[in-house]
Amino acid sequence: MKPRGGHISDSCRPISEILSRIGDKWTSLIITRLTEGPLRFNELKRQVHGISQKVLTATLRGLERDGFIERRVEPTVPPAVEYSLTPFGRELAEPLMALTRFALVNSQRMEAARQAYDERNGTPFTEASKPRRPMRLGMN
Amino acid sequence: MKPRGGHISDSCRPISEILSRIGDKWTSLIITRLTEGPLRFNELKRQVHGISQKVLTATLRGLERDGFIERRVEPTVPPAVEYSLTPFGRELAEPLMALTRFALVNSQRMEAARQAYDERNGTPFTEASKPRRPMRLGMN
DNA sequence: CTGAATCCTTAGGGATACTG
DNA sequence: CAGTATCCCTAAGGATTCAG
């Protein structure tokens, strides 16, 4: 922080940025898979259950752009593309895996907290939450 | 597949879940502020620059529900509400802060990687990215 | 096999106004 | 002060189709 005030938003930007990056529902799972070794596109797609090809592609592009993964194209036919973590990506993986571990270890604790909360107060939030549930669930 | 395979999706659910929770652009910033002590609603709103009051409320509710923060109402008039991390929240804060630190330390490295990438390939992604930018930017 | 392009739906978030 | 309640819009993500 500086003289006075602290310019919090300055230091916040990169935080929000990277947290959005890894918080996007798929990135962490992809990184996790890749920590165990390089994978080809469809291997990755199979291991990350439920991700669509479009989103996988987009996510991989983003990670490549940020320098976390490397994309190697084997010029065969049909082409074989291999994705792997860069050293930078492995650095990211470390704190990320720590968080991931936390999630795994404490998932039931969170669930319990939620149920307790929902018991004290009305279940979901607004209380006026309709019996909704039409929602298209993504099978692919 | 069956016996073999490891049930990846089972272990993935809590990961995606918590990562979405903390990856939602504001949560990490809120937790970060709260690691330094309890704060009242508007103090928090002021410290987390740019967050709207609606989103702050919703985020705090979610964190309370998951057991990460506690909400204490001082029955004065006007009411004073204080938010603080629970022990569970402090546990979460640890790996979260590690990631946060990573983001801070490496933000320029990411930026550099991005510029390098954009130089090799066309700037943003689709190449056909319109000169867009009308987008309402949120001032509050 | 590895994507790119399109279309469509939904959830997240922002602005604003109002209340105990 | 600390929220609720609306309205609205965009970006993320899914389904599907096409191609090198």
Side-chain angles (χ1 to χ4, degrees):
Chain A
M1 316 337 194
K2 271 349 56 23
R4 207 18 27 59
H7 296 277
I8 294 177
S9 51
D10 288 351
S11 39
C12 282
R13 200 175 312 102
I15 297 182
S16 295
E17 212 171 288
I18 200 174
L19 266 299
S20 320
R21 148 106 292 145
I22 65 114
D24 75 344
K25 183 182 186 184
W26 296 116
T27 293
S28 63
L29 301 178
I30 292 173
I31 302 256
T32 300
R33 293 339 295 162
L34 289 179
T35 54
E36 287 164 22
L39 287 172
R40 296 189 39 190
F41 188 85
N42 276 335
E43 291 175 331
L44 211 35
K45 183 166 186 322
R46 272 187 296 275
Q47 295 203 19
V48 181
H49 304 291
I51 193 171
S52 70
Q53 164 271 336
K54 171 189 158 185
V55 172
L56 178 53
T57 302
T59 307
L60 289 171
R61 284 289 180 286
L63 288 171
E64 187 192 359
R65 188 165 105 106
D66 289 346
F68 295 128
I69 69 176
E70 189 194 2
R71 177 175 181 270
R72 276 197 46 235
V73 182
E74 207 62 49
T76 60
V77 36
V81 181
E82 192 184 77
Y83 292 93
S84 58
L85 291 181
T86 62
F88 192 27
R90 271 186 290 277
E91 282 182 55
L92 167 63
E94 223 164 300
L96 180 52
M97 298 300 271
L99 201 49
T100 270
R101 241 170 277 130
F102 178 92
L104 243 14
V105 173
N106 298 100
S107 57
Q108 55 202 5
R109 197 139 62 117
M110 286 179 53
E111 191 44 47
R114 252 173 257 182
Q115 294 196 358
Y117 180 96
D118 291 348
E119 224 163 291
R120 288 195 299 279
N121 323 323
T123 12
F125 293 167
T126 43
E127 174 69 67
S129 56
K130 311 68 161 293
R132 53 188 325 176
R133 192 65 24 170
M135 179 191 176
R136 300 186 52 162
L137 33 121
M139 305 297 285
N140 74 332
Chain B
M1 322 313 197
K2 22 288 80 68
R4 203 79 331 44
H7 296 277
I8 295 176
S9 50
D10 288 353
S11 39
C12 282
R13 201 175 310 103
I15 297 180
S16 294
E17 213 172 286
I18 201 174
L19 267 300
S20 321
R21 146 106 295 144
I22 66 113
D24 75 343
K25 182 181 186 183
W26 296 116
T27 293
S28 63
L29 302 177
I30 292 174
I31 302 258
T32 300
R33 294 339 297 162
L34 289 180
T35 54
E36 286 163 23
L39 288 172
R40 297 186 39 187
F41 187 85
N42 276 334
E43 291 175 331
L44 211 35
K45 182 165 186 326
R46 272 187 296 275
Q47 296 203 19
V48 181
H49 303 291
I51 194 170
S52 70
Q53 146 270 33
K54 169 189 159 186
V55 172
L56 178 54
T57 302
T59 307
L60 289 171
R61 285 290 181 284
L63 287 171
E64 187 192 1
R65 188 165 105 108
D66 289 345
F68 295 127
I69 68 174
E70 190 194 2
R71 176 174 182 272
R72 275 198 45 235
V73 183
E74 207 63 50
T76 59
V77 38
V81 181
E82 191 184 76
Y83 292 93
S84 58
L85 290 182
T86 61
F88 191 28
R90 269 187 291 278
E91 283 181 55
L92 166 64
E94 222 165 300
L96 180 53
M97 297 301 270
L99 202 49
T100 269
R101 241 169 278 130
F102 178 91
L104 242 15
V105 172
N106 297 100
S107 58
Q108 56 202 6
R109 198 141 58 118
M110 286 181 52
E111 191 43 50
R114 252 173 255 182
Q115 294 196 358
Y117 180 97
D118 291 347
E119 225 164 287
R120 288 196 299 278
N121 323 323
T123 11
F125 293 169
T126 44
E127 175 67 65
S129 56
K130 312 69 158 295
R132 51 173 341 165
R133 197 61 24 169
M135 176 191 176
R136 300 186 52 161
L137 33 121
M139 304 299 284
N140 74 332

